[in-house]
Amino acid sequence: MNGYSRDKFDIWASQPDGCTTRQEVLARDGKDVKDKPGSCQPASGSWYSVYDNTTVTDVTKATIDHMVPLAMAWISGADTWTADQRKAFGNDLKDPQLLIASESSNSAKSDSGPDAWKPTNRAFWCTYAEDYTHVKSLWKLTTTAAEKSALSSMLDTCTN
């Protein structure tokens, strides 16, 4: 973790429409989202946390998780990236890197990978393992033997 800081990923950067990455994810993944007048900031709505199969209706409690935690990315190769590459990773709206998570599930996961933390919602294990693997592969991040073992057991829950 030598040199690691979340700040090096410039998360919640401004997007082309002037909204932040966080606001974009809340709008994209929420249901019946209504913004504050003249703002990108949601005032109301509901957000489903697939990690623990709960719905959050208080926007302040709808956190956004990085599927591959920033700290994991750092020790998996992001420490050699440029500032622009880290910013792109921390604000990736195209790939399954950013998702809604309840405060409790996001806090429980923290900087852990699948070898140390798994969603309590076992029905999501297959998707979680597929998405985690996709993000690691796409960004050319290394994977430890412990991660591979955990991901393999989670992929075994896939039905097709």
Side-chain angles (χ1 to χ4, degrees), residues 108-130:
K109 180 179 181 244
S110 186
D111 288 333
S112 300
D115 53 320
W117 179 89
K118 293 176 181 57
T120 57
N121 178 9
R122 290 180 64 95
F124 186 63
W125 280 18
C126 175
T127 303
Y128 173 79
E130 289 174 339

Side-chain angles (χ1 to χ4, degrees), residues 73-143:
W74 183 263
I75 62 175
S76 301
D79 61 323
T80 65
W81 293 350
T82 66
D84 285 344
Q85 286 172 304
R86 286 193 295 271
K87 180 178 180 179
F89 180 82
N91 294 279
D92 185 357
L93 291 166
K94 301 182 308 227
D95 303 299
Q97 170 61 349
L98 299 172
L99 68 160
I100 300 293
S102 66
E103 277 185 315
S104 59
S105 65
N106 201 356
S107 178
K109 180 179 181 244
S110 186
D111 288 333
S112 300
D115 53 320
W117 179 89
K118 293 176 181 57
T120 57
N121 178 9
R122 290 180 64 95
F124 186 63
W125 280 18
C126 175
T127 303
Y128 173 79
E130 289 174 339
D131 290 351
Y132 190 96
T133 302
H134 173 77
V135 170
K136 279 263 185 152
S137 174
L138 179 72
W139 289 91
K140 296 176 178 46
L141 295 168
T142 61
T143 305

Side-chain angles (χ1 to χ4, degrees), residues 51-67:
Y51 285 161
D52 53 2
N53 196 28
T54 62
T55 298
V56 177
T57 56
D58 179 349
V59 68
T60 64
K61 297 192 187 318
T63 65
I64 297 170
D65 182 59
H66 289 86
M67 173 72 64

